């Protein structure tokens, strides 16, 4: 059930034991299978409100009268904003703690990652000698004129740069960005799928993009043309030197003023069950956050994912500096 903005603004939804009110920035089509499965298994109805932009601002403006029980969003920066603005409350849940690795949840239960997407390298399928990469290597002059990437200011990239800052500090990160910019085959821009398109067109040899786009393209959801783009690339899971592959997350918090807290916790616990994690994997080709849960076969075929363990709050904290460095080096110019 989708509740309109006007009806929620008119007054808070009264607490009902068998309802939970979800505010989400995720596309309704992606999460509907999850919510339907939760209702079937629990009997709890989910009232869903799509908040395309300004989730934190909206909940803050509603204050104590907010009907929101669960706040769900995509991207580490958006997730941490909810916590930093005091819009989340701590949760004690052995089920959540058991299912989610410690570096992908708050120690006090104020936020939880629910699914992962890796920042991977799309590589020309003809480059048989490229079997492994580090993110640091992308600034090596051997790649001069051979790399494609979307805007440095896009959240996917500022998160990666934020992780780089956490590992290497500001001076080395600026130098890395200058080296990466010098290696670009074209101006930074477009989307992740266009990286595969431009590799097929021989504009570049490799680029950075999110893992789930490979599933969307190879799975046929983007049509025959995009499938041909995906056929032109292979995927390498880069790592930080001495670390793992950078991942971003979708996640959720229990709202500070949740009128149905118990139902909210039950929803979060369901979202990390094997059933729900399989739906995440199948509906949008995301990596499950639950240890041992299986990824979609297209994504599993990319190879084992070893997520980097740089703390997500530290990455989020570095996003502002990452954005400033992108501008300082003229990355998008």
């Amino acid at each position: 059930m989708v509740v309109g903005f006007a009806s929620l603004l008119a007054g808070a939804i009264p607490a009902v034991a068998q309802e939970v009110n979800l505010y989400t920035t995720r596309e309704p089509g992606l999460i509907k299978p999850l919510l339907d499965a939760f209702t079937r298994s629990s009997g709890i109805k989910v009232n869903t409100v799509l908040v395309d932009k300004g989730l934190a601002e909206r909940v803050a403006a509603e204050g104590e009268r907010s009907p929101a029980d669960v706040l769900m969003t995509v991207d580490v920066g958006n997730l941490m904003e909810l916590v930093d603005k005091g819009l989340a409350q701590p949760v004690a849940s052995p089920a959540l703690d058991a299912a989610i690795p410690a570096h992908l949840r708050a120690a006090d239960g104020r936020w939880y990652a629910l699914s992962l997407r890796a920042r991977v390298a799309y590589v020309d399928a003809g480059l048989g000698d490229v079997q492994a990469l580090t993110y640091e290597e992308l600034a090596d002059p051997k790649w001069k004129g051979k790399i494609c990437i979307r805007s440095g200011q896009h959240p996917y990239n500022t998160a990666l740069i934020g992780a780089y800052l956490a590992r290497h500090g500001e001076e080395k990160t600026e130098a890395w960005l200058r080296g990466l910019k010098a290696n670009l085959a074209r101006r930074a821009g477009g989307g992740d799928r266009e990286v595969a398109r431009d590799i097929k067109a021989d504009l570049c040899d490799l680029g950075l993009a999110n893992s789930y786009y490979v599933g969307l393209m190879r799975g046929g959801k983007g049509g025959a043309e995009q499938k041909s783009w995906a056929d032109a690339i292979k995927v390498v899971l880069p790592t930080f030197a001495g670390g793992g592959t950078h991942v971003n997350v979708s996640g959720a918090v229990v709202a500070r003023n949740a009128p149905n807290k118990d139902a909210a916790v039950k929803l979060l616990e369901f979202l990390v069950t094997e059933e729900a994690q399989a739906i995440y994997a199948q509906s949008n080709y995301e990596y499950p956050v639950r240890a041992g849960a299986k990824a979609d076969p297209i994504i599993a075929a990319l190879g084992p994912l070893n997520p980097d363990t740089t703390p997500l709050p530290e990455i989020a904290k570095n996003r502002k500096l990452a954005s400033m460095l992108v501008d300082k080096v003229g990355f998008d110019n």
Side-chain angles (χ1 to χ4, degrees):
M1 174 182 177
V2 176
V3 180
F5 290 138
S7 62
L8 285 177
L9 290 175
I13 296 175
V16 178
Q18 296 302 307
E19 290 190 353
V20 62
N21 305 315
L22 171 68
Y23 281 19
T24 178
T25 64
R26 302 219 67 177
E27 295 179 19
L30 295 179
I31 61 171
K32 187 177 186 300
L34 288 162
L35 304 181
D36 289 347
F38 171 68
T39 298
R40 286 194 302 270
S41 68
S42 69
I44 299 173
K45 181 174 67 171
V46 183
N47 303 311
T48 307
V49 180
L50 174 64
V51 184
D52 186 36
K53 295 180 180 178
L55 175 61
E57 290 77 6
R58 172 172 176 157
V59 177
E62 291 176 351
E64 293 182 0
R65 288 176 55 82
S66 177
D69 293 308
V70 174
L71 312 177
M72 179 188 292
T73 191
V74 174
D75 179 67
V76 59
N78 294 330
L79 186 61
M80 297 308 156
E81 182 183 23
L82 299 172
V83 177
D84 293 343
K85 291 189 174 181
L87 302 175
Q89 64 172 291
V91 168
S93 169
L96 288 167
D97 292 349
I100 304 174
H103 68 283
L104 296 172
R105 54 180 166 83
D108 65 357
R110 288 186 188 271
W111 60 266
Y112 295 93
L114 300 174
S115 65
L116 309 175
R117 58 278 306 276
R119 201 74 178 141
V120 302
Y122 293 0
V123 181
D124 188 319
L127 296 180
D129 59 333
V130 182
Q131 301 296 330
L133 283 168
T134 65
Y135 295 109
E136 290 86 350
E137 285 180 84
L138 297 174
D140 190 313
K142 71 180 181 181
W143 295 113
K144 186 173 181 62
K146 296 181 179 181
I147 295 178
C148 288
I149 195 169
R150 73 190 306 160
S151 167
Q153 291 291 6
H154 192 279
Y156 296 163
N157 285 331
T158 55
L160 173 62
I161 299 165
Y164 203 98
L165 280 162
R167 285 189 159 271
H168 296 292
E170 181 176 350
E171 183 177 348
K172 289 184 178 179
T173 302
E174 179 181 338
W176 177 73
L177 281 173
R178 292 188 185 279
L180 179 56
K181 175 179 169 56
N183 288 342
L184 296 183
R186 56 160 171 78
R187 183 175 177 176
D192 281 5
R193 285 183 246 211
E194 282 69 39
V195 171
R197 177 199 66 188
D198 290 350
I199 290 173
K200 181 183 179 184
D202 292 328
L203 293 177
C204 40
D205 286 346
L206 67 86
L208 289 179
N210 274 0
S211 52
Y212 66 89
Y213 287 113
V214 179
L216 294 172
M217 291 187 291
R218 289 184 177 167
K221 292 189 176 181
E225 183 179 27
Q226 290 188 14
K227 192 172 187 304
S228 73
W229 301 347
D231 290 342
I233 64 168
K234 64 180 180 180
V235 176
V236 174
L237 276 63
T239 61
F240 286 107
T245 299
H246 171 69
V247 296
N248 209 324
V249 301
S250 75
V253 308
V254 174
R256 180 181 62 195
N257 298 303
N260 303 296
K261 180 179 178 179
D262 289 346
V265 174
K266 288 179 181 177
L267 175 57
L268 291 188
E269 289 175 341
F270 173 80
L271 292 176
V272 295
T273 61
E274 291 185 6
E275 177 185 1
Q277 291 286 289
I279 295 173
Y280 268 116
Q282 294 163 8
S283 64
N284 199 40
Y285 300 99
E286 295 174 284
Y287 285 100
V289 72
R290 183 184 179 96
K294 293 182 179 180
D296 180 89
I298 293 176
I299 299 302
L302 305 182
L305 173 67
N306 174 31
D308 192 59
T309 56
T310 300
L312 296 184
E314 188 172 356
I315 293 173
K317 181 186 68 177
N318 288 338
R319 293 284 283 271
K320 183 176 181 179
L321 178 56
S323 177
M324 292 173 60
L325 290 177
V326 168
D327 282 345
K328 183 177 180 180
V329 306
F331 193 87
D332 290 349
N333 298 335

